[in-house]
Amino acid sequence: MFDALVLDRDNGEQTAGVRSLSSESLPDAGPDEVRLEVLYSSLNYKDALAVSGTGSVIRGDYPIVPGIDLVGRILESRTEDFAVGDYVIGTGWQLGEVSWGGYTQEARVDGHKLVRLPEGLTPRQAMIAGTAGLTAMLAVMALDDHGVVPEKGEVVVTGASGGVGSLAVTLLDALGYDIVASSGSEEAHDYLRDRGADRIISRSALEAGPERPLETGKWAGAVDAVGGATLATLIAQLKRHGSVAAFGNAGGHKVETSVFPFILRGVNLLGIDSNTCPTERRQTAWHRLGSILSDEDFEQIVARTIGLRDIPAASRTLLDDGVRGRIVVDLQR
């Protein structure tokens, strides 16, 4: 028997509570299933929405175990890709949304949704990073693939005090970039400087949208967690052949821009999808995360560690007050 945080629905109302389950009660994950002992997960904004019943994150059948991230040790394997005793990471592929996720001490997961834990990266560090770290690494890789290298100039990171943003700042700093952090939180300035930001600008400097289709080129590249008018401003302010890696819509899902930055400056808008990222690139990103970030980086990023029973209260706090850094869930706590 083991414990899991289970969401259920009764008379239209969602409930969340820790239950004792057996291995046989876990849904079958298909012909390439692996059964694993889950060691750590993390609490993301999407998880907080799911646990609190806010929004429409849960699209699977109830009851369901939420948690979009997990790392664990394989107990049984139906696939040749992994063997008993291997350590694996699961993120995306609708874990914790359609299929049962990581808030459980034991899980059955389709082996195709997993990647091997890289050498040099501990299970806990993998969940300090989690989906946020994977997304940040994919964004940095996309910029590099399109020629945005440190000597080209400043890279701006929006939503910089959030989970993905702060990890992007940390990664870019470790790789030698000049980083401008955009944040709406003055209290986060010291934290962002500690993470490696060379200078900080207010969120308001970008969020109104561009005054003209093409503005003075300021940024060699950008990592955008905001979308909306902020993304439109970034596109108009990119230098020639600059690129912006975009993955968020906190500022809106519509972007009003023109073709001029694309056809006159050759800028690139790069979409970052960590949910269905191909396995090979996903594995590369995890290897790069483990090689770029130091043990000290990981410990400075983590905000706190909680247990399974702490998740509902922590979810409410995250939605009400936000969080600086990452929340790790220790499934053995």
Side-chain angles (χ1 to χ4, degrees):
M1 303 296 290
F2 57 89
D3 289 337
L5 179 70
V6 181
L7 304 183
D8 214 335
R9 186 173 287 279
D10 185 27
N11 295 323
E13 293 293 323
Q14 179 180 288
T15 60
V18 175
R19 297 184 193 173
S20 183
L21 303 177
S22 66
S23 298
E24 291 72 24
S25 64
L26 295 171
D28 186 89
D32 294 300
E33 173 188 281
V34 299
R35 182 170 67 89
L36 62 152
E37 175 191 18
V38 182
L39 302 175
Y40 295 95
S41 183
S42 65
L43 181 63
N44 302 279
Y45 188 78
K46 182 181 283 188
D47 295 315
L49 291 174
V51 171
S52 65
T54 307
S56 55
V57 174
I58 301 299
R59 287 167 287 148
D61 296 329
Y62 287 88
I64 188 171
V65 170
I68 64 173
D69 296 340
L70 61 82
V71 63
R73 181 176 63 88
I74 292 180
L75 303 173
E76 291 181 289
S77 177
R78 296 181 189 171
T79 173
E80 296 180 354
D81 294 336
F82 302 112
V84 173
D86 286 346
Y87 288 85
V88 292
I89 303 169
T91 63
W93 299 115
Q94 300 180 323
L95 283 172
E97 301 175 55
V98 175
S99 58
W100 284 31
Y103 293 162
T104 174
Q105 294 174 328
E106 189 173 302
R108 295 181 185 270
V109 182
D110 182 347
H112 293 133
K113 297 180 179 180
L114 301 172
V115 295
R116 198 176 303 277
L117 179 72
E119 291 185 13
L121 191 66
T122 69
R124 183 172 179 271
Q125 288 172 340
M127 289 297 98
I128 293 175
T131 289
L134 175 63
T135 303
M137 189 71 255
L138 291 170
V140 173
M141 287 167 58
L143 293 183
D144 181 66
D145 290 345
H146 287 79
V148 181
V149 291
E151 53 267 29
K152 290 294 182 66
E154 290 181 323
V155 172
V156 60
V157 179
T158 67
S161 60
V164 184
S166 59
L167 277 154
V169 170
T170 305
L171 287 165
L172 289 165
D173 176 61
L175 292 169
Y177 286 83
D178 291 327
I179 308 153
V180 178
S182 169
S183 174
S185 171
E186 291 188 11
E187 294 79 11
H189 287 193
D190 288 342
Y191 171 74
L192 290 171
R193 291 190 184 96
D194 289 342
R195 301 280 22 90
D198 296 287
R199 65 186 181 96
I200 299 170
I201 61 174
S202 171
R203 178 175 61 197
S204 62
L206 301 170
E207 66 182 359
E211 294 182 1
R212 298 179 301 280
L214 277 176
E215 298 192 344
T216 300
K218 297 180 178 181
W219 322 114
V223 175
D224 179 49
V226 179
T230 295
L231 179 54
T233 301
L234 294 174
I235 292 170
Q237 293 181 352
L238 284 172
K239 294 181 178 179
R240 191 171 301 279
H241 302 136
S243 296
V244 52
F247 51 81
N249 63 352
H253 65 277
K254 294 184 178 180
V255 181
E256 293 188 14
T257 186
S258 76
V259 299
F260 295 131
F262 304 102
I263 65 175
L264 298 181
R265 284 188 182 159
V267 306
N268 303 291
L269 174 57
L270 311 173
I272 305 301
D273 170 27
S274 62
N275 187 38
T276 61
C277 175
T279 298
E280 184 177 355
R281 189 164 181 82
R282 188 184 294 257
Q283 189 76 67
T284 299
W286 280 111
H287 275 284
R288 291 203 65 188
L289 265 171
S291 64
I292 293 171
L293 298 184
S294 67
D295 292 347
E296 183 181 0
D297 287 330
F298 282 109
E299 290 311 311
Q300 290 179 347
I301 291 166
V302 68
R304 59 191 174 113
T305 301
I306 63 174
L308 194 61
R309 298 180 185 277
D310 303 320
I311 293 173
S315 295
R316 290 190 293 270
T317 301
L318 175 56
L319 294 178
D320 291 341
D321 303 326
V323 66
R324 188 177 306 151
R326 299 277 294 148
I327 299 176
V328 175
V329 181
D330 184 347
L331 273 303
Q332 309 305 312
R333 185 166 172 168

